Amino acid sequence: MSLRSLATIAALAIAVPSAAAQNASPTGAASTEKPATPPPPTTDLVVAGRQLAEWILTNQMDSVVAHLAPGQNADTTKMELARFIEQLAIRGGNEVKVTEEKVVRRLGRYQYWRTADYDRAPGAVLMRIVLTPDGKYQGHGIGLANNPPPIDP
């Protein structure tokens, strides 16, 4: 594997600030208990996640901010997403083809998972968007699709 591929993998695996939204327990305390089951969705979360992903990938931050979960800071979210998009463009390039979309539960929260090929990434990339049951944005994460984080049973 080339040094460039290793650097790309490392860059994609680096946690972004809003990854805390994906990794924190819903109560805020580290726990070995089974994560709480979120309330049933009130909207089609694949559709909501896809729309948020498209807004993020096309730098339409005002649209994402208009769909923030309660308690999320608009200015912080815009700054985090701008940094995320810049790094994705530098290290992964452009999204070429979406190969899978699904919603999973992770750590007691819903996540939209979008697997896609990027023109400069060494493999398929997994973009994760944390969603509320009504489809609002709570955070994001990214990594290579061949190493996804664990999901709730």
PDB file of all heavy atoms in Angstrom, residues 130-143:
ATOM      1  N   VAL A 130     -25.890  11.581  12.275  1.00  0.00           N
ATOM      2  CA  VAL A 130     -26.720  11.282  13.439  1.00  0.00           C
ATOM      3  C   VAL A 130     -28.012  12.072  13.293  1.00  0.00           C
ATOM      4  O   VAL A 130     -27.996  13.280  13.036  1.00  0.00           O
ATOM      5  CB  VAL A 130     -26.007  11.654  14.750  1.00  0.00           C
ATOM      6  CG1 VAL A 130     -26.858  11.263  15.950  1.00  0.00           C
ATOM      7  CG2 VAL A 130     -24.634  10.993  14.821  1.00  0.00           C
ATOM      8  N   LEU A 131     -29.149  11.356  13.467  1.00  0.00           N
ATOM      9  CA  LEU A 131     -30.467  11.952  13.264  1.00  0.00           C
ATOM     10  C   LEU A 131     -31.349  11.804  14.496  1.00  0.00           C
ATOM     11  O   LEU A 131     -31.256  10.802  15.216  1.00  0.00           O
ATOM     12  CB  LEU A 131     -31.185  11.253  12.099  1.00  0.00           C
ATOM     13  CG  LEU A 131     -30.519  11.297  10.732  1.00  0.00           C
ATOM     14  CD1 LEU A 131     -31.216  10.344   9.780  1.00  0.00           C
ATOM     15  CD2 LEU A 131     -30.539  12.713  10.189  1.00  0.00           C
ATOM     16  N   THR A 132     -32.220  12.762  14.687  1.00  0.00           N
ATOM     17  CA  THR A 132     -33.281  12.616  15.679  1.00  0.00           C
ATOM     18  C   THR A 132     -34.394  11.782  15.036  1.00  0.00           C
ATOM     19  O   THR A 132     -34.418  11.607  13.812  1.00  0.00           O
ATOM     20  CB  THR A 132     -33.846  13.996  16.081  1.00  0.00           C
ATOM     21  OG1 THR A 132     -34.393  14.621  14.913  1.00  0.00           O
ATOM     22  CG2 THR A 132     -32.772  14.893  16.697  1.00  0.00           C
ATOM     23  N   PRO A 133     -35.341  11.286  15.832  1.00  0.00           N
ATOM     24  CA  PRO A 133     -36.439  10.503  15.246  1.00  0.00           C
ATOM     25  C   PRO A 133     -37.259  11.273  14.205  1.00  0.00           C
ATOM     26  O   PRO A 133     -37.888  10.663  13.339  1.00  0.00           O
ATOM     27  CB  PRO A 133     -37.302  10.130  16.457  1.00  0.00           C
ATOM     28  CG  PRO A 133     -36.330  10.106  17.597  1.00  0.00           C
ATOM     29  CD  PRO A 133     -35.364  11.236  17.295  1.00  0.00           C
ATOM     30  N   ASP A 134     -37.227  12.610  14.269  1.00  0.00           N
ATOM     31  CA  ASP A 134     -37.955  13.403  13.269  1.00  0.00           C
ATOM     32  C   ASP A 134     -37.045  13.894  12.141  1.00  0.00           C
ATOM     33  O   ASP A 134     -37.413  14.771  11.361  1.00  0.00           O
ATOM     34  CB  ASP A 134     -38.707  14.559  13.926  1.00  0.00           C
ATOM     35  CG  ASP A 134     -37.810  15.565  14.628  1.00  0.00           C
ATOM     36  OD1 ASP A 134     -36.613  15.263  14.845  1.00  0.00           O
ATOM     37  OD2 ASP A 134     -38.296  16.652  14.973  1.00  0.00           O
ATOM     38  N   GLY A 135     -35.835  13.324  12.025  1.00  0.00           N
ATOM     39  CA  GLY A 135     -34.973  13.610  10.889  1.00  0.00           C
ATOM     40  C   GLY A 135     -34.115  14.853  10.994  1.00  0.00           C
ATOM     41  O   GLY A 135     -33.580  15.319   9.995  1.00  0.00           O
ATOM     42  N   LYS A 136     -33.919  15.378  12.181  1.00  0.00           N
ATOM     43  CA  LYS A 136     -33.075  16.562  12.360  1.00  0.00           C
ATOM     44  C   LYS A 136     -31.607  16.151  12.533  1.00  0.00           C
ATOM     45  O   LYS A 136     -31.294  15.090  13.039  1.00  0.00           O
ATOM     46  CB  LYS A 136     -33.513  17.365  13.588  1.00  0.00           C
ATOM     47  CG  LYS A 136     -34.949  17.832  13.545  1.00  0.00           C
ATOM     48  CD  LYS A 136     -35.191  18.834  12.472  1.00  0.00           C
ATOM     49  CE  LYS A 136     -36.630  19.335  12.542  1.00  0.00           C
ATOM     50  NZ  LYS A 136     -37.001  20.127  11.418  1.00  0.00           N
ATOM     51  N   TYR A 137     -30.707  17.030  12.122  1.00  0.00           N
ATOM     52  CA  TYR A 137     -29.257  16.798  12.173  1.00  0.00           C
ATOM     53  C   TYR A 137     -28.733  16.924  13.593  1.00  0.00           C
ATOM     54  O   TYR A 137     -28.989  17.908  14.274  1.00  0.00           O
ATOM     55  CB  TYR A 137     -28.565  17.822  11.266  1.00  0.00           C
ATOM     56  CG  TYR A 137     -27.062  17.773  11.327  1.00  0.00           C
ATOM     57  CD1 TYR A 137     -26.353  16.940  10.473  1.00  0.00           C
ATOM     58  CD2 TYR A 137     -26.359  18.547  12.234  1.00  0.00           C
ATOM     59  CE1 TYR A 137     -24.964  16.888  10.520  1.00  0.00           C
ATOM     60  CE2 TYR A 137     -24.973  18.503  12.289  1.00  0.00           C
ATOM     61  CZ  TYR A 137     -24.286  17.669  11.437  1.00  0.00           C
ATOM     62  OH  TYR A 137     -22.926  17.614  11.492  1.00  0.00           O
ATOM     63  N   GLN A 138     -27.926  15.921  14.027  1.00  0.00           N
ATOM     64  CA  GLN A 138     -27.285  15.969  15.344  1.00  0.00           C
ATOM     65  C   GLN A 138     -25.768  15.846  15.281  1.00  0.00           C
ATOM     66  O   GLN A 138     -25.105  16.084  16.282  1.00  0.00           O
ATOM     67  CB  GLN A 138     -27.806  14.849  16.242  1.00  0.00           C
ATOM     68  CG  GLN A 138     -29.150  15.124  16.845  1.00  0.00           C
ATOM     69  CD  GLN A 138     -29.479  14.103  17.921  1.00  0.00           C
ATOM     70  OE1 GLN A 138     -29.533  12.912  17.656  1.00  0.00           O
ATOM     71  NE2 GLN A 138     -29.710  14.576  19.116  1.00  0.00           N
ATOM     72  N   GLY A 139     -25.220  15.414  14.168  1.00  0.00           N
ATOM     73  CA  GLY A 139     -23.775  15.251  14.074  1.00  0.00           C
ATOM     74  C   GLY A 139     -23.412  14.405  12.871  1.00  0.00           C
ATOM     75  O   GLY A 139     -24.291  13.939  12.148  1.00  0.00           O
ATOM     76  N   HIS A 140     -22.118  14.217  12.671  1.00  0.00           N
ATOM     77  CA  HIS A 140     -21.662  13.441  11.518  1.00  0.00           C
ATOM     78  C   HIS A 140     -20.358  12.737  11.837  1.00  0.00           C
ATOM     79  O   HIS A 140     -19.703  13.033  12.838  1.00  0.00           O
ATOM     80  CB  HIS A 140     -21.478  14.344  10.297  1.00  0.00           C
ATOM     81  CG  HIS A 140     -20.362  15.324  10.459  1.00  0.00           C
ATOM     82  ND1 HIS A 140     -20.520  16.517  11.110  1.00  0.00           N
ATOM     83  CD2 HIS A 140     -19.060  15.273  10.095  1.00  0.00           C
ATOM     84  CE1 HIS A 140     -19.374  17.169  11.122  1.00  0.00           C
ATOM     85  NE2 HIS A 140     -18.453  16.433  10.517  1.00  0.00           N
ATOM     86  N   GLY A 141     -20.003  11.825  10.975  1.00  0.00           N
ATOM     87  CA  GLY A 141     -18.729  11.122  11.072  1.00  0.00           C
ATOM     88  C   GLY A 141     -18.400  10.535   9.713  1.00  0.00           C
ATOM     89  O   GLY A 141     -19.246  10.505   8.817  1.00  0.00           O
ATOM     90  N   ILE A 142     -17.181  10.066   9.576  1.00  0.00           N
ATOM     91  CA  ILE A 142     -16.766   9.502   8.297  1.00  0.00           C
ATOM     92  C   ILE A 142     -15.653   8.496   8.538  1.00  0.00           C
ATOM     93  O   ILE A 142     -14.917   8.585   9.519  1.00  0.00           O
ATOM     94  CB  ILE A 142     -16.304  10.605   7.328  1.00  0.00           C
ATOM     95  CG1 ILE A 142     -16.211  10.073   5.915  1.00  0.00           C
ATOM     96  CG2 ILE A 142     -15.003  11.232   7.798  1.00  0.00           C
ATOM     97  CD1 ILE A 142     -16.158  11.153   4.852  1.00  0.00           C
ATOM     98  N   GLY A 143     -15.547   7.547   7.660  1.00  0.00           N
ATOM     99  CA  GLY A 143     -14.479   6.561   7.712  1.00  0.00           C
ATOM    100  C   GLY A 143     -14.565   5.687   6.480  1.00  0.00           C
ATOM    101  O   GLY A 143     -15.456   5.858   5.638  1.00  0.00           O
TER     102      GLY A 143
END
